[in-house]
Amino acid sequence: MNTPDNLKYTAEHEWVDFNSETSITFGITDFAQSALGDVVFASLPKVGDKLSAGQTCGEVESTKSVSDIYAPVSGTVAEINDALTNNPELINSDPYGKGWMVKLADVAGTNDLIDAKQYQDLTAQ
Amino acid sequence: MTDSAELIHSTLHEIHVGLGAKFAAFGGWDMPLEYAGSGVVAEHLNTRSNLGIFDVSHLGTAIIKGPNAARSLNDILTNDINRINPGQAQYSMILNEEGKVVDDLIIYLKSSDEVLIIPNAGNATEVLAIIRKNLPTEIEVINLHQEIAIIAIQGPKSLALIKDLNLDSDLDYLSFKDSNFDGYPITICRTGYTGEFGFEVLVGKENVKDFWHKLFAQGEKYGIKPVGLGARDTLRTEMGYPLHGQDISLNISPLEAGLGFAVITAKPKFIGKAAIEAEKKFGVKRKLFGIKAIERAIPRSHMKVFDENDTEIGEITSGTFSPTLKQGIALALLDIKTQISDKVFVDVRGKKIAFEVTKPPFVESKVR
């Protein structure tokens, strides 16, 4: 299972990449995409939506099941990955790259994020 | 059955582990759900365009044998064995006295004195118990569930592979032949659960690893891939084939499920006949339809279905994403007044999503 050291994680199996102190990119982890199986739909929040950490802001649905997407931190949706509309399988093939989901600006509430080691421990349980 | 220690393993289990399979409990067996580097969608599409190999050893296998075994079995099952000849297979059901479905199964008529039956994994024990109870004592019921492995070879390239292996390929749909492969006995059947041209091969568990390896060695040039239960389910749903426990069950009658073709009330006897005759007389109130998503959504079992006036008209029995059509499809038990091409709405986690009523299959059948 791939868990890059340079990223932060949440217990809800999302990764967070700090682009600056106040802006992040997030998506779901390799562990999450593998557990879900083939992702066939992804619904994402709208640009401009104000999200608070932990809030449900979308869904990923695979052939097997559906999972909510949560805002990993508080912030305003600055950009969403439109490519996922027609190519949701990018979440499976490149979860930390082309399968990114949302960019948030004006970020706050980052205290609950965990590092790669903590996330690996969590998924090893 | 959540304790994986209690689940039965296929003889090919280690091979599946080696192929990076994820496993799922199904009918008391621990079977591959999907394989590494592939997944449900890729396995599904490869079966439709090339060749998919399925370990379906979880399916039950039993021989009913003795004087006029076929005639006695015909007094139990819903379809009429007299409509087929030795060497032919038939879709049939075993009902309870209330006319509900204990299981559906394929029967293979070997002779008037010998019938092979293939019930579903989780129902095999009960099916055999009912058959045993209703047969004269001189007829044997031999349970081979854990002795015989079943490998399904499905897809447009299956015929070429079978020919390459010098197996009997000259079989009509729903016929079978006892044969030999490299010195061991096999039974080759022109059956399947995918809607593709294909075969199912019964092979003793002591030989199934050899058979599996030879299939894959020879099938490489045809794009052969192993397929798990995930794609088996999406393939059968695209064809509208019922799955026991979902589309037919102890709560759903064969007439409601549109399986009247396999329930022959003209024959003298089968378990549940009186109930089916009553149901025919009074008519069914609900029927299994296909529904296809107009918007982007995946229907799932037990989601409620509503008409255009927001009146509840039934529920989904099987639903999935169709890898071929790239849209949500489902089988749904709906009010009998529902018409093909009606617009209906499915409650998908609180949102009403528009669907169109259709008649399955959702994808053209290529079995013949």
Side-chain angles (χ1 to χ4, degrees):
Chain A
M1 211 58 63
N2 182 13
T3 314
D5 284 336
N6 60 319
L7 303 177
K8 296 287 189 185
Y9 297 87
T10 72
E12 305 294 347
H13 307 287
E14 290 171 358
W15 57 265
V16 174
D17 188 11
F18 280 83
N19 308 312
S20 73
E21 267 184 38
T22 58
S23 85
I24 61 126
T25 303
F26 78 88
I28 65 168
T29 63
D30 189 28
F31 177 88
Q33 71 76 19
S34 172
L36 272 170
D38 289 341
V39 175
V40 292
F41 292 136
S43 73
L44 301 176
K46 290 189 185 65
V47 172
D49 282 359
K50 289 193 191 328
L51 306 175
S52 40
Q55 184 185 338
T56 305
C57 64
E59 275 178 0
V60 271
E61 187 152 22
S62 71
T63 51
K64 285 187 287 204
S65 64
V66 60
S67 285
D68 284 330
I69 301 169
Y70 304 94
V73 296
S74 301
T76 305
V77 178
E79 196 180 337
I80 58 169
N81 187 358
D82 288 323
L84 299 182
T85 310
N86 290 322
N87 299 100
E89 66 277 9
L90 291 171
I91 294 168
N92 294 115
S93 59
D94 193 8
Y96 301 112
K98 290 183 183 136
W100 70 274
M101 292 179 168
V102 178
K103 290 187 182 180
L104 294 178
D106 310 325
V107 162
T110 59
N111 292 342
D112 290 339
L113 297 177
I114 56 179
D115 65 23
K117 175 73 176 66
Q118 288 169 307
Y119 182 67
Q120 280 165 6
D121 290 345
L122 185 82
T123 55
Q125 282 168 13
Chain B
M1 236 7 122
T2 50
D3 187 351
S4 63
E6 290 173 17
L7 296 172
I8 303 166
H9 281 179
S10 154
T11 307
L12 298 174
H13 189 80
E14 294 311 318
I15 291 178
H16 301 316
V17 171
L19 290 166
K22 281 185 206 166
F23 290 85
F26 190 76
W29 290 61
D30 194 26
M31 298 302 288
L33 182 66
E34 60 181 23
Y35 292 88
S38 189
V40 173
V41 172
E43 291 167 23
H44 178 115
L45 296 175
N46 193 60
T47 305
R48 290 261 180 264
S49 57
N50 292 312
L51 181 57
I53 306 296
F54 307 65
D55 177 10
V56 286
S57 300
H58 59 291
L59 292 172
T61 318
I63 298 268
I64 317 294
K65 198 175 178 179
N68 296 310
R71 196 198 294 163
S72 294
L73 190 61
N74 207 29
D75 288 342
I76 300 171
L77 305 179
T78 59
N79 211 335
D80 190 355
I81 291 181
N82 295 316
R83 292 182 174 191
I84 58 170
N85 296 312
Q88 290 182 316
Q90 183 180 59
Y91 178 79
S92 197
M93 278 168 282
I94 184 162
L95 308 182
N96 60 17
E97 293 293 352
E98 289 74 47
K100 301 300 198 284
V101 186
V102 175
D103 200 15
D104 62 342
L105 62 169
I106 307 280
I107 65 152
Y108 298 80
L109 182 63
K110 292 187 169 229
S111 72
S112 57
D113 298 334
E114 187 176 347
V115 184
L116 171 80
I117 65 167
I118 304 209
N120 283 296
N123 298 326
T125 306
E126 192 183 357
V127 166
L128 296 193
I130 295 171
I131 288 175
R132 173 69 279 166
K133 197 176 133 217
N134 287 278
L135 283 178
T137 48
E138 69 270 24
I139 297 176
E140 281 182 280
V141 176
I142 307 161
N143 185 358
L144 300 172
H145 199 160
Q146 295 192 50
E147 309 306 318
I148 302 270
I150 308 179
I151 305 298
I153 303 163
Q154 303 279 303
K157 309 272 174 70
S158 61
L159 182 61
L161 176 63
I162 292 289
K163 282 183 173 167
D164 282 1
L165 294 169
N166 291 316
L167 289 167
D168 291 297
S169 57
D170 188 20
L171 290 168
D172 289 333
Y173 184 56
L174 289 177
S175 63
F176 69 98
K177 221 176 220 177
D178 288 327
S179 182
N180 262 280
F181 178 72
D182 275 12
Y184 49 84
I186 61 163
T187 302
I188 180 163
C189 316
R190 269 274 287 118
T191 47
Y193 197 47
T194 63
E196 291 301 322
F197 193 98
F199 300 83
E200 289 173 308
V201 175
L202 280 68
V203 48
K205 69 173 180 186
E206 62 283 8
N207 297 313
V208 67
K209 285 181 189 162
D210 177 80
F211 186 69
W212 177 275
H213 288 310
K214 283 177 180 150
L215 282 181
F216 278 83
Q218 192 63 41
E220 208 178 325
K221 62 174 182 259
Y222 299 120
I224 195 168
K225 263 187 199 213
V227 187
L229 290 183
R232 183 169 158 86
D233 192 54
T234 54
L235 287 159
R236 72 94 192 165
T237 305
E238 283 185 351
M239 301 317 299
Y241 293 159
L243 173 64
H244 190 269
Q246 292 185 194
D247 315 296
I248 46 176
S249 72
L250 292 174
N251 298 311
I252 304 170
S253 87
L255 302 184
E256 291 175 325
L259 299 172
F261 71 90
V263 183
I264 310 304
T265 47
K267 69 178 195 173
K269 219 172 134 183
F270 62 86
I271 300 172
K273 187 180 174 202
I276 292 291
E277 281 172 334
E279 194 176 21
K280 274 193 165 172
K281 188 171 159 198
F282 296 110
V284 294
K285 293 188 178 59
R286 50 184 198 167
K287 214 185 123 202
L288 202 62
F289 288 90
I291 61 171
K292 201 151 74 170
I294 297 167
E295 303 163 56
R296 282 201 153 205
I298 305 180
R300 308 280 183 189
S301 297
H302 304 301
M303 285 179 177
K304 304 287 182 206
V305 183
F306 298 81
D307 67 10
E308 291 193 283
N309 302 318
D310 210 25
T311 304
E312 190 177 320
I313 55 168
E315 74 168 34
I316 287 172
T317 52
S318 286
T320 193
F321 171 79
S322 160
T324 306
L325 303 175
K326 309 271 180 235
Q327 64 186 147
I329 58 168
L331 300 175
L333 208 46
L334 303 179
D335 188 292
I336 191 71
K337 293 193 286 291
T338 307
Q339 301 284 327
I340 301 302
S341 350
D342 276 1
K343 194 175 179 187
V344 297
F345 296 86
V346 177
D347 184 338
V348 180
R349 295 180 297 284
K351 277 189 217 156
K352 296 274 171 65
I353 306 289
F355 280 68
E356 187 190 356
V357 178
T358 66
K359 186 175 159 43
F362 296 97
V363 172
E364 191 194 347
S365 169
K366 305 216 171 113
V367 294
R368 289 172 203 276

